[in-house]
Amino acid sequence: MLNIQLMNKIAKIGTDKFDTAKYTVGEDVRNADAILVRSAVLHDTVFPSSLKSIARAGAGVNNIPLDRCADDGIVVFNTPGANANGVKEIVIAALLLASRDIIGGVEWVKTLKGDEEAAKKVEKGKAQFAGCEIMGKTLGVIGLGAIGRLVANVACSLGMTVVGCDPYLSEAAAKMLSPDVKVVSSYDEIYSEADYITLHVPATPQTKGMINATTLSSMKDGVKLLNFSRADLVIESDMVKALENGKVAKYVVDFPTVGIIGASDKIIAIPHLGASTEESEDNCAVMAANQTIDYLENGNIVNSVNYPNFKMPRSTDKRVCVLAKNADVAEITKAVSGVAASGSATKGDYVYAVYDVTGDVDAEKIKAVNGVIRVIVL
Ligand code: MLT
């Protein structure tokens, strides 16, 4: 039996993918072969030596120690695009919430409970909650991946002028963008042009704190910022100052922290609801489960963030999977006998080599090759 440990609630449609004849799945499962996780923070978790993979049911992987996992031969997957529509929809809601004081108005109406004069007071008092329309305004989209791209396209259809930037934009992704999206080559162009800016980049050492006093100062006065990516992208104290001095008119954030909650009336803090829809949770769970199964049963790697992606049809009934760092594939191959088919891929320093073999496997001999971290025989 293979053990699948759930570190968060994962939609049943996903966990049902694990055949109960082959897998034990649950929160209390020990000696896990694979982990499925949503937002639980795993940085301080000591993983069992049995652990072969971690699948993040979602896009962001900043809750997982990627380098430590890679060095221990643990493949980390995410599920890019699986929740993109859910996040896109909440970003559109956020654009509107940043433009019209719907939340303030709704709260005020509650204070009129039981008031016979309510209808009259509503008409008299509503002016304090008036806002502006988004049509004709400029939206800057930082990051044109699965989510940013959808947001950009919908914003165009809502009559916004859309400026997008993504240093990693592939040709295929660019083709999925509306021709109305103006793609620029620097974030600075977005900062200087946009009335609204929405962030759709992962939290990495490069993007951490990218919204700070300097970048905020280069934005238009009264800009509205939406952050449905990660709290770490924004230096919160700089954001609070920019809200206080009017540089930023609204900050809608899906990652409330102690530094943000209650810091300004101009903050709309949402409790990480971006991907919390039935559809997104189902899509992520199914993708995470399928990727885990394909890895545990066939050694195929799809959507890994710390090892190269690699897929090969099986040609014998025994497969040897080798995870290595700074290793020479030819040296690994020399240590494997009876090879019928093989393939390999690299990602940075990490190597993944797969051999379909006939006959016995001397795993110790393969492990002895310089740089080899782990050998899995399936
Ligand atoms: C993501 O990174 O895709 C979201 O944070 C997913 C989630 O809400 O679990």
Side-chain angles (χ1 to χ4, degrees), residues 318-320 335-337 357-364 366 375 377:
K318 196 174 283 173
R319 172 165 279 190
V320 183
V336 188
S337 47
V357 298
T358 52
D360 292 338
V361 176
D362 186 347
E364 290 311 313
I366 305 169
V375 178
V377 182

Side-chain angles (χ1 to χ4, degrees), residues 37-38 55-61 77-83 230 275 284-285 288:
V37 64
R38 204 167 155 191
R56 162 77 164 105
V61 285
F77 304 101
N78 71 348
T79 60
N83 57 25
R230 284 297 178 261
C284 289

Side-chain angles (χ1 to χ4, degrees), residues 312-329:
M312 185 170 96
R314 289 190 79 143
S315 56
T316 61
D317 57 10
K318 196 174 283 173
R319 172 165 279 190
V320 183
C321 306
V322 183
L323 297 101
K325 186 176 183 182
N326 294 324
D328 180 350
V329 177

Side-chain angles (χ1 to χ4, degrees), residues 38-39 56-61 83 87 147 229-230 255 272 274-276:
R38 204 167 155 191
S39 297
R56 162 77 164 105
V61 285
N83 57 25
V87 181
I147 298 168
S229 286
R230 284 297 178 261
F255 306 93
H272 195 190
S276 291

Side-chain angles (χ1 to χ4, degrees), residues 231 236 253-261 269-272:
E236 289 177 340
V253 56
D254 203 23
F255 306 93
T257 61
V258 67
I260 278 295
I261 299 167
I270 299 170
H272 195 190

Side-chain angles (χ1 to χ4, degrees), residues 4 24-25 38 43-44 48-49 67 70 88 114 128 131 166 173 270 289 367:
I4 309 296
T24 307
V25 183
R38 204 167 155 191
H43 286 285
D44 297 328
S49 58
D67 293 341
K88 172 202 82 182
Q128 58 188 307
D166 189 332
I270 299 170
K367 260 189 223 149

